[in-house]
C-alpha cells in the first residue's frame, strides 16, 4: 500500500472543536437533544452513525473484558461477569455510597446575570460580556460558593413527597456492589474476579460543556474487580496498565494519551488510605493549559463500598475464601471509563483535514469501530454494474457489518461522503468488473486503490476488521 501524502491544514483548539461538532451534526453522529424545541443543555442524541460508533466501542470493551477477559498478572485468564442494573435503585443505596451527603460540586450564582457556575470552573465567558470571563466584568456579583448535589431526584409512585424520593444513578458501580452476594450465589466466580456493567449515568452538572465531554446524561463502562486485601496493590498495577493499553488499541496513542497518577490531595475519600488512583487522559482540543482531560479513572476503593452496604442494609456480604479458609470483605479495584467521552476521543483522534482531496475532511477510525464498514459503488448506473453492486452490498451487510450502497453523484463525491463518515473502504464496480470479475478497493486513509476479485470482498473486509490499528501506518 502506498504511503500517505497528507497535506493538512487542520485547525486546533476551539476552531477544531467547531469543525468536529459540525461534522458530527452534518453526518448524523450527534445532534443536540430535542433540537426543534431549542435543545436542552447537557443532553445529546446519537444519530444513525453515532449509535453504531458508540455500540462498536461498547462492544469492543465488553469483548475485551467480559467475553475474552485479559490475562492476569499470574498468567491465568481472569473471570469477569456482566450485569445490567436498574437506573433507579433504593434511595438508601445512595446514602450508603456517600452520594447523598457528598456528591456535590461547589456552585456560585451571579446576581447580575442570574447565571449559575461551578466555582472551580469560572473560566467561561460572562453572559453579559462574553469578552470577559465570569467574575471579571465589573457588573458580576458572585455569591459565596455552596455545595450543589449532582444527583437528579425523582419520585417513584403516585405520591410526590419525601417518602417517594429516588435518584437517577450517577454511576453504575453501586448496582454491582449491592448485587455482590447475588453474583456469588448464582455463578462459580471466585476472588479475584470482576463484575462489569455498561450503561447510563445521570449527573446534574452545573456547567455541562465541551460538546458531549461533560453532559448531564452519559454512558459509562465500569468494572468492579474484587481481590484479597493483600493482593490489591498488585491488581491495581495490573489494571492501571491493562486499561491504558486498551485505549491504545483504539488508536489513541503517543502524544495524545497519557496515564496520570493522582496527587495525594486529589485522592477520593475511599482511596486515601488504600493507596492508589490514576486517570487515563486524552488531549482533547479543549483540554487547554492542562493539556489533557479524563477518559477513565482507575481507583483502589479498598472495601469501602461493601462495608457501607453491610452497615446500611444489615446484610452480610463477606466472602468465604476456600483456598485460604478465611472470611473477608474483598477489596476493590475499579476501572471506570466514559463511553461517551471515549467516543468523543475516537472522533477527535480520527478527525483530519487533507487539503489534497477535493473534500478535505475525513475521520480515520479503526475499521472495527467504523459505523459503516464499506461503501459499495457502481461506477455508473447501467451495464449490469448496479446488479453486481447490489449482490456485493448484501454479502457485506449480511457477513461483515453495516455497508452503504451509493449510486448518486460523481465517484469523487461518493468517496468524500464515506471519508467523512469514517468508512475505511470503498468498493467500486466498473467496466472491468464485467470482464474479469475484479473490483477496486479504495483505502480511506491513503486514497490509494487496488483491485481484488469480487468474490474476495467479504474475506478482505473481515481480515481488515481483525487487524491491529497502527495509527503510524495510516
Ligand atoms: N464509579 C466511579 C465513577 O463514577 P467517575 O470518574 O466519576 O467515576 C467515570 O466517572 C467516568 O465517567 C469518567 O472517567 C468519565 O469518562 C465519565 N464521566 C463522568 N462524568 C461525566 C459527564 N458529566 N459527562 C460525560 N462523561 C462523564
Amino acid at each position: 500500500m502506498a504511503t500517505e501524502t497528507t497535506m493538512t491544514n487542520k485547525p486546533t483548539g476551539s476552531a477544531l472543536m467547531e469543525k468536529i461538532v459540525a461534522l458530527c451534526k452534518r453526518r448524523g453522529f450527534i445532534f443536540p437533544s430535542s433540537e426543534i424545541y431549542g435543545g436542552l443543555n447537557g443532553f445529546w442524541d446519537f444519530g444513525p452513525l453515532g449509535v453504531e460508533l458508540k455500540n462498536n466501542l461498547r462492544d469492543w470493551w465488553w469483548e475485551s473484558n467480559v467475553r475474552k477477559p485479559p490475562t492476569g498478572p499470574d498468567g491465568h485468564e481472569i473471570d469477569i461477569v456482566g450485569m445490567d442494573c436498574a437506573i433507579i435503585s433504593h434511595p438508601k443505596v445512595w446514602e450508603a455510597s456517600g452520594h447523598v451527603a457528598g456528591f456535590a460540586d461547589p456552585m456560585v450564582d451571579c446576581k447580575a446575570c442570574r447565571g449559575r457556575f461551578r466555582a472551580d470552573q469560572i473560566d467561561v465567558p460572562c453572559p453579559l460580556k462574553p469578552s470577559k470571563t465570569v467574575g471579571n466584568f465589573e457588573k458580576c456579583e458572585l455569591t459565596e460558593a455552596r455545595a450543589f448535589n449532582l444527583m437528579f431526584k425523582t419520585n417513584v409512585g403516585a405520591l410526590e413527597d419525601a417518602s417517594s424520593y429516588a435518584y437517577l444513578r450517577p454511576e453504575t458501580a453501586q448496582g454491582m456492589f449491592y448485587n455482590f452476594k447475588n453474583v456469588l450465589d448464582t455463578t462459580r466466580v471466585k476472588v479475584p474476579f470482576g463484575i462489569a456493567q455498561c450503561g447510563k449515568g445521570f449527573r446534574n452538572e452545573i456547567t455541562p460543556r465541551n460538546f458531549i465531554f461533560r453532559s448531564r446524561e452519559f454512558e459509562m463502562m465500569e468494572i468492579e474487580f474484587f481481590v484479597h486485601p493483600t493482593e490489591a496493590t498488585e491488581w491495581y498495577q495490573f489494571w492501571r496498565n491493562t486499561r491504558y493499553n486498551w485505549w491504545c488499541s483504539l488508536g489513541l496513542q503517543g502524544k495524545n494519551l497519557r496515564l496520570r497518577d493522582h496527587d495525594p490531595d486529589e485522592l477520593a475519600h475511599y482511596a486515601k488510605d488504600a493507596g492508589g488512583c490514576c486517570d487515563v487522559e486524552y488531549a482533547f482540543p479543549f483540554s487547554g493549559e492542562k493539556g489533557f482531560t479524563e477518559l477513565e479513572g482507575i481507583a483502589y476503593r479498598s472495601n469501602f463500598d461493601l462495608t457501607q452496604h453491610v452497615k446500611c442494609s444489615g446484610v452480610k456480604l463477606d466472602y468465604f475464601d476456600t483456598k485460604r479458609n478465611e472470611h473477608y470483605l474483598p477489596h476493590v479495584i475499579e476501572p471506570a471509563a466514559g463511553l461517551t467521552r471515549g467516543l468523543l476521543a475516537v472522533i477527535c483522534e480520527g478527525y483530519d483535514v487533507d487539503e489534497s482531496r477535493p473534500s478535505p475532511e475525513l475521520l480515520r477510525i479503526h475499521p472495527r469501530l467504523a459505523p459503516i464498514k464499506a461503501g459499495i459503488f457502481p461506477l455508473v448506473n447501467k451495464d449490469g454494474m448496479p446488479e453486481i453492486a447490489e449482490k456485493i452490498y448484501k454479502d457485506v451487510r449480511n457477513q461483515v457489518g453495516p455497508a452503504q450502497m451509493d449510486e448518486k453523484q460523481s465517484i469523487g463525491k461518493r468517496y468524500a461522503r464515506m471519508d467523512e463518515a469514517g468508512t475505511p473502504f470503498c468498493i467500486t464496480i466498473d467496466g472491468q468488473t464485467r470482464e474479469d470479475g475484479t473490483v477496486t478497493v479504495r483505502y480511506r486513509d491513503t486514497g490509494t486503490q487496488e483491485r481484488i476479485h469480487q468474490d474476495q470482498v467479504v474475506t478482505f473486509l473481515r481480515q481488515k476488521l481483525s487487524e491491529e490499528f497502527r495509527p503510524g501506518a495510516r
Side-chain angles (χ1 to χ4, degrees):
M1 201 161 74
T3 50
E4 185 193 4
T5 49
T6 301
M7 288 160 51
T8 189
N9 190 13
K10 189 171 156 180
T12 54
S14 54
L16 173 57
M17 263 329 278
E18 271 173 36
K19 288 271 186 197
I20 288 172
V21 173
L23 184 144
C24 284
K25 170 103 196 288
R26 184 167 74 242
R27 294 315 317 274
F29 282 94
I30 301 163
F31 309 118
S33 182
S34 41
E35 193 182 14
I36 59 170
Y37 295 98
L40 187 60
N41 197 8
F43 295 90
W44 299 90
D45 295 334
F46 290 84
L49 294 190
V51 72
E52 289 291 341
L53 177 55
K54 181 153 66 67
N55 288 349
N56 291 343
L57 185 54
R58 183 202 57 205
D59 291 350
W60 197 343
W61 178 85
W62 194 263
E63 177 87 5
S64 17
N65 289 294
V66 184
R67 296 264 161 81
K68 295 178 195 153
T71 308
D74 61 357
H76 285 101
E77 203 174 80
I78 55 182
D79 265 336
I80 302 187
V81 293
M83 284 206 79
D84 185 11
C85 303
I87 281 171
I88 296 179
S89 45
H90 196 291
K92 278 200 174 159
V93 167
W94 306 108
E95 285 171 28
S97 67
H99 284 82
V100 170
F103 191 57
D105 278 337
M107 176 184 74
V108 292
D109 286 312
C110 177
K111 290 180 184 160
C113 72
R114 298 186 177 276
R116 187 159 269 190
F117 310 94
R118 244 177 88 159
D120 56 344
Q121 287 178 3
I122 49 174
D123 55 332
V124 290
C126 164
L128 296 179
K129 188 143 177 106
S131 59
K132 301 212 164 177
T133 51
V134 168
N136 288 321
F137 175 41
E138 71 240 19
K139 293 198 174 141
C140 295
E141 246 188 285
L142 298 185
T143 61
E144 287 292 311
R146 62 186 192 286
F148 174 75
N149 194 297
L150 299 186
M151 281 196 296
F152 278 102
K153 235 182 203 172
T154 186
N155 294 88
V156 175
L159 285 179
E160 279 194 28
D161 62 17
S163 70
S164 65
Y165 276 162
Y167 303 95
L168 303 193
R169 70 180 177 199
E171 60 172 18
T172 66
Q174 295 307 321
M176 296 183 271
F177 292 126
Y178 67 68
N179 274 301
F180 176 66
K181 202 167 163 350
N182 280 337
V183 172
L184 282 182
D185 291 348
T186 54
T187 65
R188 291 196 190 278
V189 287
K190 286 194 165 69
V191 169
F193 76 93
I195 309 181
Q197 176 165 209
C198 177
K200 293 224 167 178
F202 301 82
R203 298 183 187 178
N204 197 1
E205 300 283 356
I206 298 166
T207 37
R209 59 177 175 167
N210 294 327
F211 195 28
I212 56 171
F213 178 82
R214 187 176 303 288
S215 43
R216 288 177 165 143
E217 175 178 341
F218 57 95
E219 277 173 83
M220 56 214 305
M221 310 180 286
E222 296 195 283
I223 300 171
E224 306 305 330
F225 197 75
F226 300 91
V227 301
H228 187 271
T230 57
E231 293 179 351
T233 308
E234 190 188 3
W235 280 107
Y236 170 70
Q237 287 302 329
F238 167 80
W239 280 111
R240 188 180 174 278
N241 300 332
T242 302
R243 292 306 304 150
Y244 177 78
N245 290 335
W246 185 80
W247 287 106
C248 289
S249 77
L250 304 180
L252 313 181
Q253 302 187 35
K255 63 181 181 9
N256 288 338
L257 193 72
R258 77 173 185 190
L259 192 54
R260 186 182 67 81
D261 292 308
H262 280 201
D263 295 331
D265 61 352
E266 274 181 276
L267 290 178
H269 53 292
Y270 47 75
K272 265 209 171 84
D273 303 324
C277 200
C278 62
D279 289 340
V280 179
E281 298 183 328
Y282 183 72
F284 286 99
F286 47 77
S287 293
E289 269 175 25
K290 282 204 290 185
F292 289 84
T293 26
E294 178 186 339
L295 268 182
E296 170 162 358
I298 298 110
Y300 176 11
R301 296 180 74 104
S302 69
N303 57 8
F304 172 82
D305 305 88
L306 289 180
T307 307
Q308 284 299 106
H309 287 301
V310 172
K311 256 195 229 161
C312 297
S313 68
V315 175
K316 274 175 92 178
L317 296 176
D318 58 340
Y319 171 77
F320 180 63
D321 193 323
T322 47
K323 260 199 196 151
R324 295 172 193 263
N325 198 22
E326 183 189 343
H327 283 273
Y328 56 88
L329 273 186
H331 280 212
V332 169
I333 315 298
E334 177 191 69
L339 171 58
T340 322
R341 267 188 204 178
L343 180 141
L344 182 58
V346 166
I347 292 177
C348 289
E349 181 77 15
Y351 179 85
D352 205 358
V353 179
D354 179 357
E355 299 286 0
S356 69
R357 303 181 188 208
S359 297
E361 289 175 271
L362 71 153
L363 276 186
R364 302 180 191 276
I365 307 178
H366 190 306
R368 240 179 290 170
L369 294 181
I372 303 168
K373 306 306 179 194
I376 317 289
F377 308 154
L379 186 62
V380 288
N381 237 337
K382 55 182 184 180
D383 300 338
M385 292 182 209
E387 290 76 12
I388 300 174
E390 180 76 24
K391 178 175 180 323
I392 295 176
Y393 163 70
K394 283 189 177 150
D395 286 348
V396 172
R397 201 187 57 181
N398 294 335
Q399 297 175 51
V400 182
Q404 210 167 80
M405 172 124 161
D406 191 356
E407 303 160 0
K408 298 201 180 97
Q409 297 184 302
S410 71
I411 196 79
K413 287 198 170 133
R414 286 185 257 173
Y415 285 151
R417 268 180 72 75
M418 286 295 143
D419 288 349
E420 276 195 341
T423 307
F425 308 103
C426 290
I427 312 291
T428 303
I429 294 84
D430 56 17
Q432 201 178 321
T433 310
R434 292 196 57 201
E435 287 164 26
D436 62 9
T438 63
V439 295
T440 65
V441 177
R442 180 216 180 239
Y443 289 73
R444 171 198 65 202
D445 292 343
T446 57
T448 51
Q449 299 187 14
E450 62 183 349
R451 292 199 83 88
I452 62 170
H453 197 272
Q454 61 185 22
D455 295 345
Q456 289 300 308
V457 170
V458 165
T459 315
F460 169 88
L461 290 175
R462 280 194 180 150
Q463 164 67 26
K464 291 291 175 194
L465 259 62
S466 70
E467 280 176 8
E468 293 283 306
F469 192 47
R470 292 169 297 128
R474 279 168 183 163

PDB file of all heavy atoms in Angstrom, residues 70-82:
ATOM      1  N   PRO A  70      -8.815 -10.135  30.006  1.00  0.00           N
ATOM      2  CA  PRO A  70      -7.354 -10.133  29.878  1.00  0.00           C
ATOM      3  C   PRO A  70      -6.714 -11.206  30.759  1.00  0.00           C
ATOM      4  O   PRO A  70      -7.346 -11.715  31.682  1.00  0.00           O
ATOM      5  CB  PRO A  70      -6.972  -8.730  30.372  1.00  0.00           C
ATOM      6  CG  PRO A  70      -8.148  -8.215  31.107  1.00  0.00           C
ATOM      7  CD  PRO A  70      -9.349  -8.945  30.634  1.00  0.00           C
ATOM      8  N   THR A  71      -5.476 -11.519  30.456  1.00  0.00           N
ATOM      9  CA  THR A  71      -4.723 -12.475  31.265  1.00  0.00           C
ATOM     10  C   THR A  71      -4.180 -11.753  32.490  1.00  0.00           C
ATOM     11  O   THR A  71      -3.623 -10.663  32.378  1.00  0.00           O
ATOM     12  CB  THR A  71      -3.547 -13.019  30.429  1.00  0.00           C
ATOM     13  OG1 THR A  71      -4.091 -13.474  29.193  1.00  0.00           O
ATOM     14  CG2 THR A  71      -2.851 -14.159  31.121  1.00  0.00           C
ATOM     15  N   GLY A  72      -4.380 -12.361  33.672  1.00  0.00           N
ATOM     16  CA  GLY A  72      -3.955 -11.704  34.908  1.00  0.00           C
ATOM     17  C   GLY A  72      -2.454 -11.714  35.103  1.00  0.00           C
ATOM     18  O   GLY A  72      -1.727 -12.313  34.301  1.00  0.00           O
ATOM     19  N   PRO A  73      -1.975 -11.074  36.176  1.00  0.00           N
ATOM     20  CA  PRO A  73      -0.530 -10.976  36.401  1.00  0.00           C
ATOM     21  C   PRO A  73       0.136 -12.343  36.536  1.00  0.00           C
ATOM     22  O   PRO A  73       1.305 -12.494  36.209  1.00  0.00           O
ATOM     23  CB  PRO A  73      -0.406 -10.199  37.722  1.00  0.00           C
ATOM     24  CG  PRO A  73      -1.763  -9.762  38.109  1.00  0.00           C
ATOM     25  CD  PRO A  73      -2.768 -10.410  37.223  1.00  0.00           C
ATOM     26  N   ASP A  74      -0.629 -13.369  36.989  1.00  0.00           N
ATOM     27  CA  ASP A  74      -0.015 -14.695  37.149  1.00  0.00           C
ATOM     28  C   ASP A  74      -0.129 -15.538  35.876  1.00  0.00           C
ATOM     29  O   ASP A  74       0.148 -16.731  35.873  1.00  0.00           O
ATOM     30  CB  ASP A  74      -0.678 -15.436  38.323  1.00  0.00           C
ATOM     31  CG  ASP A  74      -2.177 -15.642  38.061  1.00  0.00           C
ATOM     32  OD1 ASP A  74      -2.678 -15.172  37.017  1.00  0.00           O
ATOM     33  OD2 ASP A  74      -2.845 -16.277  38.887  1.00  0.00           O
ATOM     34  N   GLY A  75      -0.580 -14.930  34.776  1.00  0.00           N
ATOM     35  CA  GLY A  75      -0.657 -15.650  33.501  1.00  0.00           C
ATOM     36  C   GLY A  75      -1.976 -16.377  33.284  1.00  0.00           C
ATOM     37  O   GLY A  75      -2.201 -16.943  32.226  1.00  0.00           O
ATOM     38  N   HIS A  76      -2.881 -16.369  34.277  1.00  0.00           N
ATOM     39  CA  HIS A  76      -4.177 -17.041  34.111  1.00  0.00           C
ATOM     40  C   HIS A  76      -5.233 -16.072  33.614  1.00  0.00           C
ATOM     41  O   HIS A  76      -5.232 -14.907  33.997  1.00  0.00           O
ATOM     42  CB  HIS A  76      -4.648 -17.628  35.451  1.00  0.00           C
ATOM     43  CG  HIS A  76      -3.893 -18.851  35.822  1.00  0.00           C
ATOM     44  ND1 HIS A  76      -2.882 -18.840  36.745  1.00  0.00           N
ATOM     45  CD2 HIS A  76      -3.991 -20.124  35.375  1.00  0.00           C
ATOM     46  CE1 HIS A  76      -2.383 -20.051  36.855  1.00  0.00           C
ATOM     47  NE2 HIS A  76      -3.027 -20.855  36.034  1.00  0.00           N
ATOM     48  N   GLU A  77      -6.157 -16.615  32.802  1.00  0.00           N
ATOM     49  CA  GLU A  77      -7.286 -15.778  32.372  1.00  0.00           C
ATOM     50  C   GLU A  77      -8.146 -15.471  33.590  1.00  0.00           C
ATOM     51  O   GLU A  77      -8.353 -16.339  34.444  1.00  0.00           O
ATOM     52  CB  GLU A  77      -8.111 -16.541  31.343  1.00  0.00           C
ATOM     53  CG  GLU A  77      -8.900 -15.605  30.474  1.00  0.00           C
ATOM     54  CD  GLU A  77      -9.615 -16.338  29.350  1.00  0.00           C
ATOM     55  OE1 GLU A  77     -10.673 -16.908  29.627  1.00  0.00           O
ATOM     56  OE2 GLU A  77      -9.100 -16.331  28.219  1.00  0.00           O
ATOM     57  N   ILE A  78      -8.628 -14.231  33.695  1.00  0.00           N
ATOM     58  CA  ILE A  78      -9.416 -13.873  34.870  1.00  0.00           C
ATOM     59  C   ILE A  78     -10.904 -13.953  34.528  1.00  0.00           C
ATOM     60  O   ILE A  78     -11.281 -13.954  33.360  1.00  0.00           O
ATOM     61  CB  ILE A  78      -9.050 -12.461  35.380  1.00  0.00           C
ATOM     62  CG1 ILE A  78      -9.185 -11.424  34.267  1.00  0.00           C
ATOM     63  CG2 ILE A  78      -7.656 -12.445  35.971  1.00  0.00           C
ATOM     64  CD1 ILE A  78      -8.797 -10.036  34.693  1.00  0.00           C
ATOM     65  N   ASP A  79     -11.728 -14.014  35.571  1.00  0.00           N
ATOM     66  CA  ASP A  79     -13.177 -14.093  35.383  1.00  0.00           C
ATOM     67  C   ASP A  79     -13.798 -12.719  35.554  1.00  0.00           C
ATOM     68  O   ASP A  79     -13.598 -12.069  36.586  1.00  0.00           O
ATOM     69  CB  ASP A  79     -13.789 -14.993  36.470  1.00  0.00           C
ATOM     70  CG  ASP A  79     -13.943 -16.416  35.992  1.00  0.00           C
ATOM     71  OD1 ASP A  79     -14.029 -16.618  34.768  1.00  0.00           O
ATOM     72  OD2 ASP A  79     -13.966 -17.309  36.859  1.00  0.00           O
ATOM     73  N   ILE A  80     -14.571 -12.299  34.553  1.00  0.00           N
ATOM     74  CA  ILE A  80     -15.362 -11.080  34.712  1.00  0.00           C
ATOM     75  C   ILE A  80     -16.762 -11.403  34.197  1.00  0.00           C
ATOM     76  O   ILE A  80     -16.910 -11.879  33.063  1.00  0.00           O
ATOM     77  CB  ILE A  80     -14.777  -9.879  33.942  1.00  0.00           C
ATOM     78  CG1 ILE A  80     -13.336  -9.615  34.403  1.00  0.00           C
ATOM     79  CG2 ILE A  80     -15.641  -8.633  34.144  1.00  0.00           C
ATOM     80  CD1 ILE A  80     -12.706  -8.363  33.844  1.00  0.00           C
ATOM     81  N   VAL A  81     -17.773 -11.188  35.030  1.00  0.00           N
ATOM     82  CA  VAL A  81     -19.144 -11.436  34.588  1.00  0.00           C
ATOM     83  C   VAL A  81     -19.847 -10.094  34.394  1.00  0.00           C
ATOM     84  O   VAL A  81     -19.492  -9.101  35.022  1.00  0.00           O
ATOM     85  CB  VAL A  81     -19.930 -12.314  35.604  1.00  0.00           C
ATOM     86  CG1 VAL A  81     -19.365 -13.710  35.650  1.00  0.00           C
ATOM     87  CG2 VAL A  81     -19.936 -11.688  36.990  1.00  0.00           C
ATOM     88  N   GLY A  82     -20.870 -10.088  33.537  1.00  0.00           N
ATOM     89  CA  GLY A  82     -21.567  -8.844  33.234  1.00  0.00           C
ATOM     90  C   GLY A  82     -22.834  -8.663  34.041  1.00  0.00           C
ATOM     91  O   GLY A  82     -23.366  -9.616  34.626  1.00  0.00           O
TER      92      GLY A  82
END
